[in-house]
């Protein structure tokens, strides 16, 4: 006879406030996901739900609110950029976390020449251009899988990534 341990799991999920409290205790890198709307207007939003998925093919995922205008444009374009923010880009992170309509007028950005995706050239240390390969609906968010087509590292001396956790911004210090 083998000794086995059975885990007991609650049958109902925790409430949203408890879940949010849990996730604030897990620091994550901060990115701004950008794309272009059908009318050519840039769209973007702050995102800390970015994760590598696969090396072959090179794939990452981002999780975006199902009601987001950025998500709608991203799905229409079938392409997006992940702008990994450096530790001096807290203002951009805060700006793109709002619904301010003129966000792109308040930051330095440029269109990537091949795909036309908006790049945050002053606030990002690295940018990945992606093609949508798959989506998955989970609750009130859409998980977007993106095949990475191009990576650009911007000329920032010793960049330190911007992190968010415990309801505040952080950065890594180099040793």
């Amino acid at each position: 006879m083998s000794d086995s341990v059975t885990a007991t799991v609650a049958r109902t999920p925790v409430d949203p406030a408890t879940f949010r409290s849990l996730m604030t205790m897990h620091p994550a890198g901060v990115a701004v996901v950008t794309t272009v709307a059908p009318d050519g207007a840039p769209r973007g939003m702050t995102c800390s739900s970015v994760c590598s998925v696969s090396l072959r093919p090179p794939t990452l995922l981002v999780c975006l609110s199902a009601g987001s205008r950025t998500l709608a444009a991203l799905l229409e374009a079938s392409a997006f950029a992940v702008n990994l923010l450096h530790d001096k880009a807290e203002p951009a992170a805060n700006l793109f976390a709002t619904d301010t309509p003129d966000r792109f007028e308040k930051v330095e950005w440029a269109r990537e020449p091949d795909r036309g995706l908006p790049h945050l050239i002053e606030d990002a240390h690295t940018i990945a251009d992606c093609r949508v390969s798959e989506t998955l609906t989970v609750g009130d968010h859409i998980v977007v899988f993106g095949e990475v087509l191009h990576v650009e590292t911007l000329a920032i001396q010793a960049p330190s990534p911007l992190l968010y956790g415990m309801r505040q911004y952080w950065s890594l210090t180099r040793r």
Side-chain angles (χ1 to χ4, degrees):
M1 183 166 21
S2 67
D3 293 331
S4 64
V5 176
T6 303
T8 303
V9 179
R11 295 180 190 261
T12 59
V14 298
D15 63 274
T18 301
F19 182 68
R20 179 174 281 134
S21 178
L22 166 72
M23 295 313 298
T24 63
M25 300 308 286
H26 179 67
V30 182
V32 172
V33 174
T34 57
T35 192
V36 62
D39 66 359
R43 297 273 189 263
M45 65 183 293
T46 300
C47 180
S48 60
S49 298
V50 177
C51 180
S52 65
V53 175
S54 170
L55 287 175
R56 291 184 182 86
T59 304
L60 56 76
L61 68 76
V62 296
C63 299
L64 304 176
S65 176
S68 160
R69 291 184 326 191
T70 298
L71 174 64
L74 180 156
L75 295 175
E76 181 83 18
S78 197
F80 61 99
V82 177
N83 296 266
L84 301 178
L85 301 186
H86 58 70
D87 63 351
K88 305 289 188 260
E90 186 177 330
N94 287 329
L95 177 64
F96 281 89
T98 70
D99 284 335
T100 302
D102 59 349
R103 289 177 277 193
F104 282 91
E105 294 173 19
K106 298 180 179 188
V107 296
E108 290 291 323
W109 67 280
R111 286 194 193 275
E112 187 278 328
D114 293 332
R115 288 162 287 281
L117 295 170
H119 284 186
L120 302 184
I121 57 176
E122 293 293 323
D123 296 303
H125 61 80
T126 307
I127 302 167
D129 292 328
C130 304
R131 171 179 50 222
V132 174
S133 60
E134 192 172 339
T135 62
L136 175 66
T137 301
V138 179
D140 60 356
H141 278 64
I142 306 295
V143 181
V144 179
F145 295 88
E147 185 175 1
V148 179
L149 303 176
H150 178 76
V151 174
E152 180 178 353
T153 301
L154 302 177
I156 298 171
Q157 191 173 19
S160 181
L162 183 64
L163 304 175
Y164 187 79
M166 300 170 66
R167 301 191 192 279
Q168 59 186 323
Y169 290 101
W170 302 76
S171 67
L172 298 175
T173 55
R174 296 203 176 263
R175 295 181 196 204

